[in-house]
Amino acid sequence: TVKRRTDIEGLRAIAVLAVLLFHAGVPGLGGGYVGVDVFFVVSGFLITSLLVAEKTKTGKVSLGAFYARRARRILPVSALVAVATLIASWIWLEPLRLRSLADDVLAVALFSSNFVFANRGADYLQSALPPSPLQHYWSLGVEEQFYLVFPALLALGWLLARTSRRQLPAILIVSAVAVSSFTLTLIPSGSPWLGFYSPFTRAWEFAIGALLALAAVRIKSAAL
């Protein structure tokens, strides 16, 4: 079990608060949306720390157990908010918007809302169209898509290691993810919205957090 990191949890809370205050139009917080990026980095750090702790304790990583933990943590609250939003929208929104909202609910259930909003061309920051009441789910979609692949990449890195203490193969794999993803952000795209919502252009942020967690383990092992 990983010791609860109140400092990291506090940083996540500050990141979320910065985004909320940005959308509320609080003066002086025009860059508050960077809280999303901070949240992704912190999430990468926390999840990697959990996986490293499991590997250290049991000698292996159970992908099934990982996904089960994620489902228990995310699904109940995610479903509750989505259903409550759908009910409130049915009461207050105009009928023409309800059909697209139903599509958004389905996308939320499939953790693919970021692709739906990218395909729709919903400019998160400057759109003149009314935003979807579920538009904030795009970041959860990116997070879950990354975690669908990331644990398997870490497990591959550990499988390639000669000893259970070696982290270098995993570090190299995560570094490749970070460099590849960040490179994609520098390539002009025909769809700026896809660049904003895509897990491929956001993966480097999770990977930076993962590298910090892996580097901490490597430094600790070297000191022993």
Side-chain angles (χ1 to χ4, degrees), residues 8-134:
I8 298 297
E9 293 295 340
L11 183 58
R12 293 179 90 177
I14 292 174
V16 172
L17 182 61
V19 176
L20 292 176
L21 294 178
F22 163 74
H23 283 294
V26 176
L29 286 174
Y33 57 85
V34 76
V36 175
D37 306 286
V38 174
F39 189 88
F40 286 162
V41 173
V42 173
S43 293
F45 179 88
L46 286 176
I47 291 298
T48 304
S49 298
L50 290 171
L51 292 170
V52 168
E54 181 181 351
K55 175 68 167 56
T56 302
K57 182 178 180 180
T58 66
K60 63 180 181 179
V61 171
S62 172
L63 297 182
F66 171 82
Y67 295 128
R69 289 193 300 268
R70 293 297 299 171
R72 288 194 298 269
R73 179 182 175 87
I74 296 296
L75 288 181
V77 176
S78 176
L80 177 62
V81 173
V83 170
T85 302
L86 187 61
I87 293 173
S89 299
W90 183 79
I91 297 174
W92 284 301
L93 288 186
E94 57 271 24
L96 292 177
R97 293 186 61 192
L98 292 181
R99 181 173 181 177
S100 64
L101 183 62
D103 295 337
D104 294 348
V105 171
L106 178 60
V108 165
L110 297 175
F111 294 110
S112 61
S113 56
N114 53 318
F115 287 118
V116 169
F117 296 134
N119 184 62
R120 189 180 296 165
D123 188 324
Y124 188 68
L125 299 177
Q126 299 177 2
S127 177
L129 299 174
S132 167
L134 296 171

